[in-house]
Amino acid sequence: LAKFPVFEPHWQITMAHARATGSLNWNGTVYEFKDAPFYGEKNWGGAFPTKWYWSQCNSFDDYPDLSFTAGGGIRILPFSFLPGKRTETLGLIGIHYLGNFYEFVPWTSESEWEVSPWGMWKFRGRCIDNKGGQKYEADIVVRTDDDVPGVLLRAPTKEEGMQYFCRDSGFGRAVVNLWELDWDEESRDYVRSPNKPPLIDNATSRQCTVEVGGGPWWSTWKVKSEMSSILKKLIRLPYAFRKS
């Protein structure tokens, strides 16, 4: 589907937890670095969502092999010129840790977020619909100090091209938790395994990148991500063919 102008914009994380060595020249000052944490991604398509958030961190205290990325927004649906629902609000979380990838995406997971206009990002994901795979729950909180205003950046808009349309910072304070879930007969639901320690227990960093974009951002944005059942089936098709 990424080859066609649907579900735009497209987003691909190319390197979530890499290491980089080299130099950077900024305003005449050269910065040398070696084996520094590195993250790379790309976007393509007509424009960014009408409203979105994003956060990424791959430099944690006491968790050298941990990286997470979280993002979500309001996107225009294909055939939005037809009567009915024209937009969809979706979010996801991806966690790399000790060689494993924990994926919380709209077609296999429950996801919700609470993001303020600036200063607070909260993400929660429960992967419980992955057809026989292990179930997980993630909880991530990122905050910036009052003296961190962020930097305005340009972003592509549909009608006006590149505009100062988002705010970023690399000084977020992140706390990450990840639990394995087991089925509980009493509650008839998946719950955090009572006899197992968390897979990730309060991993912290002061080098988390955060972003808010689009708008309007008049108040805290609190949403539970929900993908339509039809789109879930459509996106799952490549997985079904891959396994067959």
Side-chain angles (χ1 to χ4, degrees):
L1 293 176
K3 297 179 181 179
F4 306 100
V6 295
F7 303 121
E8 291 188 322
H10 301 295
W11 175 36
Q12 181 181 11
I13 299 169
T14 56
M15 290 176 284
H17 197 192
R19 287 291 182 267
T21 298
S23 62
L24 174 68
N25 188 319
W26 176 254
N27 288 335
T29 301
V30 177
Y31 299 89
E32 304 274 350
F33 51 90
K34 183 178 181 179
D35 292 330
F38 182 81
Y39 169 85
E41 67 174 38
K42 66 178 182 178
N43 300 98
W44 68 101
F48 275 18
T50 57
K51 183 177 182 179
W52 76 91
Y53 67 85
W54 172 83
S55 182
Q56 206 285 327
C57 187
N58 58 9
S59 180
F60 285 87
D61 303 328
D62 302 322
Y63 283 84
D65 196 36
L66 171 60
S67 172
F68 89 84
T69 307
I74 302 173
R75 69 179 183 185
I76 299 175
L77 290 171
F79 311 110
S80 59
F81 55 87
L82 298 175
K85 189 176 180 181
R86 297 173 182 268
T87 62
E88 194 167 44
T89 304
L90 299 175
L92 59 82
I93 302 169
I95 298 176
H96 292 83
Y97 181 55
L98 295 179
N100 297 310
F101 181 48
Y102 303 93
E103 182 182 52
F104 303 85
V105 290
W107 50 94
T108 62
S109 308
E110 298 173 354
S111 177
E112 57 187 74
W113 65 83
E114 184 177 351
V115 179
S116 67
W118 186 252
M120 181 193 72
W121 294 255
K122 293 182 178 181
F123 318 117
R124 179 174 175 266
R126 296 180 79 237
C127 184
I128 56 174
D129 191 22
N130 54 348
K131 304 299 182 182
Q134 183 58 53
K135 319 304 180 186
Y136 301 98
E137 180 179 342
D139 185 84
I140 301 171
V141 178
V142 187
R143 300 181 187 274
T144 54
D145 294 333
D146 293 339
D147 60 350
V148 178
V151 178
L152 287 176
L153 297 177
R154 294 179 185 270
T157 65
K158 187 174 183 180
E159 303 294 340
E160 300 178 357
M162 296 293 289
Q163 296 292 327
Y164 287 103
F165 208 49
C166 64
R167 184 183 300 271
D168 283 53
S169 174
F171 297 101
R173 295 180 286 106
V175 180
V176 178
N177 286 280
L178 179 67
W179 299 272
E180 196 171 341
L181 301 181
D182 288 332
W183 179 255
D184 180 63
E185 286 292 343
E186 185 175 346
S187 62
R188 304 296 297 172
D189 196 4
Y190 288 98
V191 300
R192 297 173 188 174
S193 302
N195 301 319
K196 301 175 184 177
L199 296 171
I200 300 173
D201 189 6
N202 287 316
T204 60
S205 174
R206 297 187 66 88
Q207 301 182 64
C208 184
T209 51
V210 288
E211 178 178 272
V212 293
W217 284 92
W218 306 123
S219 59
T220 297
W221 191 20
K222 189 174 183 179
V223 174
K224 183 175 182 180
S225 176
E226 292 187 51
M227 175 178 276
S228 72
S229 58
I230 295 176
L231 288 179
K232 278 186 178 182
K233 293 177 182 178
L234 179 64
I235 291 178
R236 280 175 169 172
L237 277 177
Y239 293 86
F241 286 118
R242 192 181 305 166
K243 293 177 180 179
S244 61

